[in-house]
Amino acid sequence: MSNEMQSLWNSSWLDSGNQSYLDCQYEEFLKNPETLSMEWRDYFSQLIADAPGVADISHAAIKELFKSLSYQARSTAAKNNPLEKVLFAYRLLGHQISNINPLASAPVRLVPELELSYYGIDATKLDIADKQQIAVMQKIYCGTATAEYMHITDSAERSWLQENIETTFNSLVLTSEEKKRVLELIIAADGLEKYLGAKYPGAKRFGLEGCDSLIVGLDKILFASSKQGVKEIVIAMAHRGRLNVLVNLLGKVPRELFDQFEDKHSEQVSSGDVKYHQGFANDLQTPSGNLHVSLAFNPSHLEIVTPVAIGSVRARQERRNDVGREQVFCIAIHGDAAFAGQGVVMETLNMAGTRGFNTGGTIHIIINNQIGFTISNPKDARSTMYCSDLGKMLSVPIFHVNADDPEAVLAVASLAVAYKLQFKKDVIIDLVGYRRMGHNEADEPAATQPLMYKQIRLHPTVKEIYTKKLITENFITQQAVDTLAANYREALDKREKAVVKFLADEVDRSDVAADWSPYGARDWRIPTSTQLSLSTIQSLATARDSVPASFVLHPRVQKIVEDRIKMTQGEIAIDWGYAETLAYATLLNENYGVRLSGQDCGRGTFFHRHVEWHDQNNGEVYVSLTNISDKQAQFSIVDSLLSEVAVLGFEYGYSSGEPRTLTLWEAQFGDFANGAQVVIDQFISSGEQKWGRLSGLVMLLPHGYEGQGPEHSSARLERYLQLCAQHNIQVCMPSTPAQMYHLLRRQMLRPMRKPLIVITPKSLLRHKSAVSSLTELADGMFHVLVTDASVTSENVTRIILCSGKIYYELDAARIKLQKNTIAVIRVEQLYPFPEQELSAELKKYANAKEIVWCQEEPKNQGAWYSTQHHLQASLAAGQQLIYAGRGDSAAPAVGYFHLHEQQQEFLVQEAMGEAMAKI
């Protein structure tokens, strides 16, 4: 290469960081050389001429030459050239002066680092090439689309992003077919909102006006993903734009939507839900094949649907055996205020790269109205520059794009798909627009944002802006645009699908879809055998307790395993950990998957489970339940991050997507589920009634009064019982290992899927009396009531009803006081309440007139208030219901151990009928 050419390579504008720029310039030279300056034309011509012994060098070879030579040049004078710092500043800070706000006529910030004078550069002394380079960087990073990616720690990702961003944003050129598709989508998005506004004035629809380009971006993501082999996409989104997505992208028949506006409902669900909470699924026909798209049902609690949808994605991936996580992913659509303000966003983002919750990346789209609900000053909405800044914790790219430029939105969407599929990580699109109407269509936003809405009312719509652009380019005429709009409106008038040509015909998905048909039984009393032969139980237990050769267990774990071996041989009684883990082993052997997550759930918070062993010499992990048999189903144990709401939401989503997996979530302490109350209220307890969605999710909530204070005693049983109605959930408090074993097996073997809340013990895990036998496991069943076989019914004058741990204290007191006239009956299933069974049992005690409900919890908590009407209905003639327990309390438990003991002694004595001074 000549000295002149070498000097060019030593200049900053040929540095490796500008390779994408060079590629673009060279491509332009090949197509339209006259558009380039003489310097560039001479450079590229000389470059080819200087290639020794090569008559015709290929385009690919030129690009490789750029790459190799520019990396060599990086260590020379270019490294110290001030212009290099300017280019870096544009990559780092250019977004701050970009044109991404449709309501801003000019950037509102001054960024000194983007001024040449900041580096002591005299702009008048720059040559043409340097000026062109700066102009290109301004176009790339300060236009209607920009990106933040310099915070990413992985250099390979940064290089990939830099090359693709600078190639894409430097030449946003769409094909005629792409422009036509964008126009059709914008007309459809605008047309539906106007149609609904005219036909149903004042009705809430949470319209998309101002962010119409969302439809363009989503359309690109769907079709580009399908081209790369994606088979399914789950969409999570709140209200804004939901109806538009349903009709214009997913092909919901407008007639069905209009029926909802007209209050006509055909859904076979108990309560139903408003139209902008509804889910939907369809198969889209793409050039690359059918793409199944599901829009998740969601409540008004913004953001809570995101972990639910991602959990559903994980279930779908595993059902497809999508080990590479390449066939299914989630698109999560957020509001700007919600993304910045809701804690579940951070928790969900934090799950993205963890082993138990990773799905290979989610594409997040923020519909940025710049207002939240009624906040017009961003300083009231967040503490960061952008609503998307939280995403930087994941070290992923954040694209900002002006919603008034649908072509830029399309380009950003294309980049987002490419990045997500390349690196299998999350990516964030901040779609900056506005909200033409109020928070809903009955709102008056000008009351609190008069200046903003004065500007919005004068601002042209996205359709008007894009139509004007295409007409100016002579791509289309106004008459043709009007015809497209009229055709769309005519389709709506006929209540027909507006996007029929993009929808697939009937698709057989039986090989990849979950089959819920066997699990719709409604009668909880349906007979279901949970028995297994003793030999099968012992064989599975032996496999569970087999330690690999040379694997060194911790001494305490070694003792647990040795004891379990003795339990299998019938030498000692069975404890809780044995029975619970054996239930999992039996289900796995019967081809039911098991997935258990929670904080410390591998060993169990109270050191009782130990399904995950750690070699004390090399740290290797062994999970014996993955080695039960050659044909067993999948077992997953996930020690989760310190999150309740996002993890429980994820597990609910997983359970709603996979009926043949026993999905369990364990709270570290039962009351820690308080942090996930939204999931419990909006999904677990009401999802079937609102949306017809079944789930067999199991919540394990440690509970029991042992003097550990207000936060480590109660699982807040009363809250779950208050949510009970229409046989929506099950609430059980098993008191023996055998009961737990059969309860878990019943949950999967019964042709029914209902969420199960299990109030699990703490001290009972190793209580000497809370044990079972192998026979009870092999030949037993789950008993909704555990009757009292220790007394003669004719002698009983007082019956104590209770649940859980308090039984063992009552039984010990009865023995100590020699109260042979007292029977203690355990209610193991609190909902659906077994009235028939209890009524039949109480009738056996002809002489028992005093029926006592005894509980550890305060009177205004626990089961008393939610259950007493069931107890009253179960009484025989002449029987009287009495309460024995703590009095009303604002806190769940006392914090002083000695006071706890006094209260506990009092309630036990009160239940026994012994007079004591009130504590």
Side-chain angles (χ1 to χ4, degrees), residues 608-625:
H608 80 286
R609 184 172 293 118
H610 292 288
V611 295
E612 189 176 73
W613 300 336
H614 298 260
D615 191 296
Q616 297 302 294
N617 287 343
N618 56 30
E620 289 184 2
V621 176
Y622 180 75
V623 180
S624 63
L625 286 178

mmCIF file with all atom_site columns, all heavy atoms in Angstrom, residues 608-625:
data_model
loop_
_atom_site.group_PDB
_atom_site.id
_atom_site.type_symbol
_atom_site.label_atom_id
_atom_site.label_alt_id
_atom_site.label_comp_id
_atom_site.label_asym_id
_atom_site.label_entity_id
_atom_site.label_seq_id
_atom_site.pdbx_PDB_ins_code
_atom_site.Cartn_x
_atom_site.Cartn_y
_atom_site.Cartn_z
_atom_site.occupancy
_atom_site.B_iso_or_equiv
_atom_site.pdbx_formal_charge
_atom_site.auth_seq_id
_atom_site.auth_comp_id
_atom_site.auth_asym_id
_atom_site.auth_atom_id
_atom_site.pdbx_PDB_model_num
ATOM 1   N N   . HIS A 1 608 ? -35.127 -29.209 55.998 1.00 0.00 ? 608 HIS A N   1
ATOM 2   C CA  . HIS A 1 608 ? -35.827 -30.491 56.042 1.00 0.00 ? 608 HIS A CA  1
ATOM 3   C C   . HIS A 1 608 ? -35.893 -31.202 54.689 1.00 0.00 ? 608 HIS A C   1
ATOM 4   O O   . HIS A 1 608 ? -36.107 -32.404 54.633 1.00 0.00 ? 608 HIS A O   1
ATOM 5   C CB  . HIS A 1 608 ? -37.264 -30.283 56.530 1.00 0.00 ? 608 HIS A CB  1
ATOM 6   C CG  . HIS A 1 608 ? -38.205 -29.789 55.464 1.00 0.00 ? 608 HIS A CG  1
ATOM 7   N ND1 . HIS A 1 608 ? -38.172 -28.494 55.000 1.00 0.00 ? 608 HIS A ND1 1
ATOM 8   C CD2 . HIS A 1 608 ? -39.192 -30.422 54.760 1.00 0.00 ? 608 HIS A CD2 1
ATOM 9   C CE1 . HIS A 1 608 ? -39.093 -28.347 54.067 1.00 0.00 ? 608 HIS A CE1 1
ATOM 10  N NE2 . HIS A 1 608 ? -39.722 -29.497 53.898 1.00 0.00 ? 608 HIS A NE2 1
ATOM 11  N N   . ARG A 1 609 ? -35.687 -30.462 53.571 1.00 0.00 ? 609 ARG A N   1
ATOM 12  C CA  . ARG A 1 609 ? -35.988 -31.048 52.267 1.00 0.00 ? 609 ARG A CA  1
ATOM 13  C C   . ARG A 1 609 ? -34.777 -31.766 51.658 1.00 0.00 ? 609 ARG A C   1
ATOM 14  O O   . ARG A 1 609 ? -34.832 -32.933 51.329 1.00 0.00 ? 609 ARG A O   1
ATOM 15  C CB  . ARG A 1 609 ? -36.507 -29.961 51.323 1.00 0.00 ? 609 ARG A CB  1
ATOM 16  C CG  . ARG A 1 609 ? -36.949 -30.506 49.970 1.00 0.00 ? 609 ARG A CG  1
ATOM 17  C CD  . ARG A 1 609 ? -37.634 -29.425 49.141 1.00 0.00 ? 609 ARG A CD  1
ATOM 18  N NE  . ARG A 1 609 ? -38.892 -29.024 49.722 1.00 0.00 ? 609 ARG A NE  1
ATOM 19  C CZ  . ARG A 1 609 ? -39.176 -27.795 50.157 1.00 0.00 ? 609 ARG A CZ  1
ATOM 20  N NH1 . ARG A 1 609 ? -38.254 -26.835 50.054 1.00 0.00 ? 609 ARG A NH1 1
ATOM 21  N NH2 . ARG A 1 609 ? -40.353 -27.504 50.672 1.00 0.00 ? 609 ARG A NH2 1
ATOM 22  N N   . HIS A 1 610 ? -33.743 -31.038 51.387 1.00 0.00 ? 610 HIS A N   1
ATOM 23  C CA  . HIS A 1 610 ? -32.475 -31.581 50.877 1.00 0.00 ? 610 HIS A CA  1
ATOM 24  C C   . HIS A 1 610 ? -32.652 -32.475 49.643 1.00 0.00 ? 610 HIS A C   1
ATOM 25  O O   . HIS A 1 610 ? -32.286 -33.644 49.626 1.00 0.00 ? 610 HIS A O   1
ATOM 26  C CB  . HIS A 1 610 ? -31.729 -32.336 51.976 1.00 0.00 ? 610 HIS A CB  1
ATOM 27  C CG  . HIS A 1 610 ? -31.228 -31.417 53.043 1.00 0.00 ? 610 HIS A CG  1
ATOM 28  N ND1 . HIS A 1 610 ? -30.169 -30.550 52.861 1.00 0.00 ? 610 HIS A ND1 1
ATOM 29  C CD2 . HIS A 1 610 ? -31.688 -31.193 54.305 1.00 0.00 ? 610 HIS A CD2 1
ATOM 30  C CE1 . HIS A 1 610 ? -29.993 -29.849 53.958 1.00 0.00 ? 610 HIS A CE1 1
ATOM 31  N NE2 . HIS A 1 610 ? -30.899 -30.206 54.849 1.00 0.00 ? 610 HIS A NE2 1
ATOM 32  N N   . VAL A 1 611 ? -33.200 -31.868 48.591 1.00 0.00 ? 611 VAL A N   1
ATOM 33  C CA  . VAL A 1 611 ? -33.238 -32.570 47.305 1.00 0.00 ? 611 VAL A CA  1
ATOM 34  C C   . VAL A 1 611 ? -32.034 -32.172 46.461 1.00 0.00 ? 611 VAL A C   1
ATOM 35  O O   . VAL A 1 611 ? -31.837 -32.688 45.361 1.00 0.00 ? 611 VAL A O   1
ATOM 36  C CB  . VAL A 1 611 ? -34.539 -32.246 46.531 1.00 0.00 ? 611 VAL A CB  1
ATOM 37  C CG1 . VAL A 1 611 ? -35.741 -32.771 47.274 1.00 0.00 ? 611 VAL A CG1 1
ATOM 38  C CG2 . VAL A 1 611 ? -34.675 -30.743 46.280 1.00 0.00 ? 611 VAL A CG2 1
ATOM 39  N N   . GLU A 1 612 ? -31.226 -31.270 46.978 1.00 0.00 ? 612 GLU A N   1
ATOM 40  C CA  . GLU A 1 612 ? -30.042 -30.798 46.265 1.00 0.00 ? 612 GLU A CA  1
ATOM 41  C C   . GLU A 1 612 ? -28.844 -30.980 47.201 1.00 0.00 ? 612 GLU A C   1
ATOM 42  O O   . GLU A 1 612 ? -28.794 -30.394 48.270 1.00 0.00 ? 612 GLU A O   1
ATOM 43  C CB  . GLU A 1 612 ? -30.235 -29.319 45.901 1.00 0.00 ? 612 GLU A CB  1
ATOM 44  C CG  . GLU A 1 612 ? -29.187 -28.739 44.988 1.00 0.00 ? 612 GLU A CG  1
ATOM 45  C CD  . GLU A 1 612 ? -29.527 -27.295 44.619 1.00 0.00 ? 612 GLU A CD  1
ATOM 46  O OE1 . GLU A 1 612 ? -29.383 -26.405 45.479 1.00 0.00 ? 612 GLU A OE1 1
ATOM 47  O OE2 . GLU A 1 612 ? -29.958 -27.062 43.474 1.00 0.00 ? 612 GLU A OE2 1
ATOM 48  N N   . TRP A 1 613 ? -27.893 -31.827 46.788 1.00 0.00 ? 613 TRP A N   1
ATOM 49  C CA  . TRP A 1 613 ? -26.724 -32.107 47.628 1.00 0.00 ? 613 TRP A CA  1
ATOM 50  C C   . TRP A 1 613 ? -25.493 -31.402 47.079 1.00 0.00 ? 613 TRP A C   1
ATOM 51  O O   . TRP A 1 613 ? -25.312 -31.288 45.866 1.00 0.00 ? 613 TRP A O   1
ATOM 52  C CB  . TRP A 1 613 ? -26.464 -33.616 47.672 1.00 0.00 ? 613 TRP A CB  1
ATOM 53  C CG  . TRP A 1 613 ? -27.604 -34.411 48.235 1.00 0.00 ? 613 TRP A CG  1
ATOM 54  C CD1 . TRP A 1 613 ? -28.574 -33.988 49.079 1.00 0.00 ? 613 TRP A CD1 1
ATOM 55  C CD2 . TRP A 1 613 ? -27.889 -35.798 47.978 1.00 0.00 ? 613 TRP A CD2 1
ATOM 56  N NE1 . TRP A 1 613 ? -29.452 -34.994 49.381 1.00 0.00 ? 613 TRP A NE1 1
ATOM 57  C CE2 . TRP A 1 613 ? -29.047 -36.131 48.724 1.00 0.00 ? 613 TRP A CE2 1
ATOM 58  C CE3 . TRP A 1 613 ? -27.283 -36.793 47.226 1.00 0.00 ? 613 TRP A CE3 1
ATOM 59  C CZ2 . TRP A 1 613 ? -29.605 -37.414 48.717 1.00 0.00 ? 613 TRP A CZ2 1
ATOM 60  C CZ3 . TRP A 1 613 ? -27.831 -38.068 47.210 1.00 0.00 ? 613 TRP A CZ3 1
ATOM 61  C CH2 . TRP A 1 613 ? -28.977 -38.372 47.954 1.00 0.00 ? 613 TRP A CH2 1
ATOM 62  N N   . HIS A 1 614 ? -24.630 -30.951 47.977 1.00 0.00 ? 614 HIS A N   1
ATOM 63  C CA  . HIS A 1 614 ? -23.413 -30.233 47.605 1.00 0.00 ? 614 HIS A CA  1
ATOM 64  C C   . HIS A 1 614 ? -22.191 -31.000 48.118 1.00 0.00 ? 614 HIS A C   1
ATOM 65  O O   . HIS A 1 614 ? -22.060 -31.210 49.329 1.00 0.00 ? 614 HIS A O   1
ATOM 66  C CB  . HIS A 1 614 ? -23.427 -28.821 48.201 1.00 0.00 ? 614 HIS A CB  1
ATOM 67  C CG  . HIS A 1 614 ? -24.565 -27.975 47.691 1.00 0.00 ? 614 HIS A CG  1
ATOM 68  N ND1 . HIS A 1 614 ? -24.406 -27.040 46.695 1.00 0.00 ? 614 HIS A ND1 1
ATOM 69  C CD2 . HIS A 1 614 ? -25.877 -27.947 48.033 1.00 0.00 ? 614 HIS A CD2 1
ATOM 70  C CE1 . HIS A 1 614 ? -25.570 -26.461 46.448 1.00 0.00 ? 614 HIS A CE1 1
ATOM 71  N NE2 . HIS A 1 614 ? -26.474 -26.994 47.249 1.00 0.00 ? 614 HIS A NE2 1
ATOM 72  N N   . ASP A 1 615 ? -21.339 -31.418 47.199 1.00 0.00 ? 615 ASP A N   1
ATOM 73  C CA  . ASP A 1 615 ? -20.127 -32.135 47.577 1.00 0.00 ? 615 ASP A CA  1
ATOM 74  C C   . ASP A 1 615 ? -19.221 -31.212 48.395 1.00 0.00 ? 615 ASP A C   1
ATOM 75  O O   . ASP A 1 615 ? -18.889 -30.104 47.963 1.00 0.00 ? 615 ASP A O   1
ATOM 76  C CB  . ASP A 1 615 ? -19.391 -32.615 46.328 1.00 0.00 ? 615 ASP A CB  1
ATOM 77  C CG  . ASP A 1 615 ? -18.273 -33.590 46.653 1.00 0.00 ? 615 ASP A CG  1
ATOM 78  O OD1 . ASP A 1 615 ? -17.314 -33.169 47.342 1.00 0.00 ? 615 ASP A OD1 1
ATOM 79  O OD2 . ASP A 1 615 ? -18.359 -34.749 46.217 1.00 0.00 ? 615 ASP A OD2 1
ATOM 80  N N   . GLN A 1 616 ? -18.814 -31.685 49.565 1.00 0.00 ? 616 GLN A N   1
ATOM 81  C CA  . GLN A 1 616 ? -18.056 -30.841 50.483 1.00 0.00 ? 616 GLN A CA  1
ATOM 82  C C   . GLN A 1 616 ? -16.602 -30.654 50.053 1.00 0.00 ? 616 GLN A C   1
ATOM 83  O O   . GLN A 1 616 ? -15.902 -29.789 50.588 1.00 0.00 ? 616 GLN A O   1
ATOM 84  C CB  . GLN A 1 616 ? -18.100 -31.440 51.890 1.00 0.00 ? 616 GLN A CB  1
ATOM 85  C CG  . GLN A 1 616 ? -19.503 -31.495 52.471 1.00 0.00 ? 616 GLN A CG  1
ATOM 86  C CD  . GLN A 1 616 ? -20.159 -30.123 52.549 1.00 0.00 ? 616 GLN A CD  1
ATOM 87  O OE1 . GLN A 1 616 ? -19.702 -29.265 53.310 1.00 0.00 ? 616 GLN A OE1 1
ATOM 88  N NE2 . GLN A 1 616 ? -21.212 -29.916 51.786 1.00 0.00 ? 616 GLN A NE2 1
ATOM 89  N N   . ASN A 1 617 ? -16.143 -31.429 49.094 1.00 0.00 ? 617 ASN A N   1
ATOM 90  C CA  . ASN A 1 617 ? -14.756 -31.307 48.631 1.00 0.00 ? 617 ASN A CA  1
ATOM 91  C C   . ASN A 1 617 ? -14.607 -30.449 47.382 1.00 0.00 ? 617 ASN A C   1
ATOM 92  O O   . ASN A 1 617 ? -13.678 -29.643 47.276 1.00 0.00 ? 617 ASN A O   1
ATOM 93  C CB  . ASN A 1 617 ? -14.163 -32.699 48.354 1.00 0.00 ? 617 ASN A CB  1
ATOM 94  C CG  . ASN A 1 617 ? -13.878 -33.448 49.643 1.00 0.00 ? 617 ASN A CG  1
ATOM 95  O OD1 . ASN A 1 617 ? -13.816 -32.852 50.720 1.00 0.00 ? 617 ASN A OD1 1
ATOM 96  N ND2 . ASN A 1 617 ? -13.723 -34.760 49.537 1.00 0.00 ? 617 ASN A ND2 1
ATOM 97  N N   . ASN A 1 618 ? -15.533 -30.614 46.424 1.00 0.00 ? 618 ASN A N   1
ATOM 98  C CA  . ASN A 1 618 ? -15.372 -29.891 45.156 1.00 0.00 ? 618 ASN A CA  1
ATOM 99  C C   . ASN A 1 618 ? -16.543 -28.984 44.804 1.00 0.00 ? 618 ASN A C   1
ATOM 100 O O   . ASN A 1 618 ? -16.533 -28.342 43.759 1.00 0.00 ? 618 ASN A O   1
ATOM 101 C CB  . ASN A 1 618 ? -15.117 -30.872 44.009 1.00 0.00 ? 618 ASN A CB  1
ATOM 102 C CG  . ASN A 1 618 ? -16.215 -31.923 43.901 1.00 0.00 ? 618 ASN A CG  1
ATOM 103 O OD1 . ASN A 1 618 ? -17.372 -31.674 44.234 1.00 0.00 ? 618 ASN A OD1 1
ATOM 104 N ND2 . ASN A 1 618 ? -15.853 -33.115 43.427 1.00 0.00 ? 618 ASN A ND2 1
ATOM 105 N N   . GLY A 1 619 ? -17.573 -28.946 45.646 1.00 0.00 ? 619 GLY A N   1
ATOM 106 C CA  . GLY A 1 619 ? -18.696 -28.051 45.402 1.00 0.00 ? 619 GLY A CA  1
ATOM 107 C C   . GLY A 1 619 ? -19.681 -28.519 44.356 1.00 0.00 ? 619 GLY A C   1
ATOM 108 O O   . GLY A 1 619 ? -20.637 -27.799 44.040 1.00 0.00 ? 619 GLY A O   1
ATOM 109 N N   . GLU A 1 620 ? -19.478 -29.688 43.782 1.00 0.00 ? 620 GLU A N   1
ATOM 110 C CA  . GLU A 1 620 ? -20.405 -30.193 42.779 1.00 0.00 ? 620 GLU A CA  1
ATOM 111 C C   . GLU A 1 620 ? -21.794 -30.405 43.396 1.00 0.00 ? 620 GLU A C   1
ATOM 112 O O   . GLU A 1 620 ? -21.932 -30.686 44.583 1.00 0.00 ? 620 GLU A O   1
ATOM 113 C CB  . GLU A 1 620 ? -19.901 -31.501 42.184 1.00 0.00 ? 620 GLU A CB  1
ATOM 114 C CG  . GLU A 1 620 ? -18.690 -31.340 41.287 1.00 0.00 ? 620 GLU A CG  1
ATOM 115 C CD  . GLU A 1 620 ? -18.274 -32.653 40.645 1.00 0.00 ? 620 GLU A CD  1
ATOM 116 O OE1 . GLU A 1 620 ? -18.981 -33.670 40.883 1.00 0.00 ? 620 GLU A OE1 1
ATOM 117 O OE2 . GLU A 1 620 ? -17.251 -32.677 39.935 1.00 0.00 ? 620 GLU A OE2 1
ATOM 118 N N   . VAL A 1 621 ? -22.803 -30.265 42.550 1.00 0.00 ? 621 VAL A N   1
ATOM 119 C CA  . VAL A 1 621 ? -24.194 -30.390 43.003 1.00 0.00 ? 621 VAL A CA  1
ATOM 120 C C   . VAL A 1 621 ? -24.816 -31.635 42.386 1.00 0.00 ? 621 VAL A C   1
ATOM 121 O O   . VAL A 1 621 ? -24.634 -31.908 41.191 1.00 0.00 ? 621 VAL A O   1
ATOM 122 C CB  . VAL A 1 621 ? -25.006 -29.138 42.619 1.00 0.00 ? 621 VAL A CB  1
ATOM 123 C CG1 . VAL A 1 621 ? -26.472 -29.318 43.006 1.00 0.00 ? 621 VAL A CG1 1
ATOM 124 C CG2 . VAL A 1 621 ? -24.423 -27.899 43.286 1.00 0.00 ? 621 VAL A CG2 1
ATOM 125 N N   . TYR A 1 622 ? -25.532 -32.370 43.196 1.00 0.00 ? 622 TYR A N   1
ATOM 126 C CA  . TYR A 1 622 ? -26.218 -33.565 42.726 1.00 0.00 ? 622 TYR A CA  1
ATOM 127 C C   . TYR A 1 622 ? -27.669 -33.509 43.190 1.00 0.00 ? 622 TYR A C   1
ATOM 128 O O   . TYR A 1 622 ? -27.953 -33.266 44.368 1.00 0.00 ? 622 TYR A O   1
ATOM 129 C CB  . TYR A 1 622 ? -25.555 -34.829 43.262 1.00 0.00 ? 622 TYR A CB  1
ATOM 130 C CG  . TYR A 1 622 ? -26.216 -36.113 42.803 1.00 0.00 ? 622 TYR A CG  1
ATOM 131 C CD1 . TYR A 1 622 ? -26.042 -36.588 41.513 1.00 0.00 ? 622 TYR A CD1 1
ATOM 132 C CD2 . TYR A 1 622 ? -27.018 -36.851 43.680 1.00 0.00 ? 622 TYR A CD2 1
ATOM 133 C CE1 . TYR A 1 622 ? -26.637 -37.765 41.081 1.00 0.00 ? 622 TYR A CE1 1
ATOM 134 C CE2 . TYR A 1 622 ? -27.623 -38.032 43.268 1.00 0.00 ? 622 TYR A CE2 1
ATOM 135 C CZ  . TYR A 1 622 ? -27.429 -38.490 41.963 1.00 0.00 ? 622 TYR A CZ  1
ATOM 136 O OH  . TYR A 1 622 ? -28.041 -39.652 41.547 1.00 0.00 ? 622 TYR A OH  1
ATOM 137 N N   . VAL A 1 623 ? -28.592 -33.714 42.255 1.00 0.00 ? 623 VAL A N   1
ATOM 138 C CA  . VAL A 1 623 ? -30.027 -33.724 42.565 1.00 0.00 ? 623 VAL A CA  1
ATOM 139 C C   . VAL A 1 623 ? -30.543 -35.124 42.288 1.00 0.00 ? 623 VAL A C   1
ATOM 140 O O   . VAL A 1 623 ? -30.704 -35.519 41.124 1.00 0.00 ? 623 VAL A O   1
ATOM 141 C CB  . VAL A 1 623 ? -30.787 -32.679 41.720 1.00 0.00 ? 623 VAL A CB  1
ATOM 142 C CG1 . VAL A 1 623 ? -32.277 -32.710 42.053 1.00 0.00 ? 623 VAL A CG1 1
ATOM 143 C CG2 . VAL A 1 623 ? -30.215 -31.279 41.959 1.00 0.00 ? 623 VAL A CG2 1
ATOM 144 N N   . SER A 1 624 ? -30.774 -35.862 43.333 1.00 0.00 ? 624 SER A N   1
ATOM 145 C CA  . SER A 1 624 ? -31.114 -37.281 43.154 1.00 0.00 ? 624 SER A CA  1
ATOM 146 C C   . SER A 1 624 ? -32.463 -37.468 42.470 1.00 0.00 ? 624 SER A C   1
ATOM 147 O O   . SER A 1 624 ? -32.679 -38.479 41.797 1.00 0.00 ? 624 SER A O   1
ATOM 148 C CB  . SER A 1 624 ? -31.114 -37.992 44.511 1.00 0.00 ? 624 SER A CB  1
ATOM 149 O OG  . SER A 1 624 ? -32.111 -37.457 45.361 1.00 0.00 ? 624 SER A OG  1
ATOM 150 N N   . LEU A 1 625 ? -33.367 -36.510 42.612 1.00 0.00 ? 625 LEU A N   1
ATOM 151 C CA  . LEU A 1 625 ? -34.680 -36.662 42.000 1.00 0.00 ? 625 LEU A CA  1
ATOM 152 C C   . LEU A 1 625 ? -34.635 -36.542 40.478 1.00 0.00 ? 625 LEU A C   1
ATOM 153 O O   . LEU A 1 625 ? -35.641 -36.787 39.818 1.00 0.00 ? 625 LEU A O   1
ATOM 154 C CB  . LEU A 1 625 ? -35.659 -35.622 42.575 1.00 0.00 ? 625 LEU A CB  1
ATOM 155 C CG  . LEU A 1 625 ? -36.140 -35.905 44.008 1.00 0.00 ? 625 LEU A CG  1
ATOM 156 C CD1 . LEU A 1 625 ? -37.056 -34.806 44.497 1.00 0.00 ? 625 LEU A CD1 1
ATOM 157 C CD2 . LEU A 1 625 ? -36.849 -37.258 44.090 1.00 0.00 ? 625 LEU A CD2 1
#
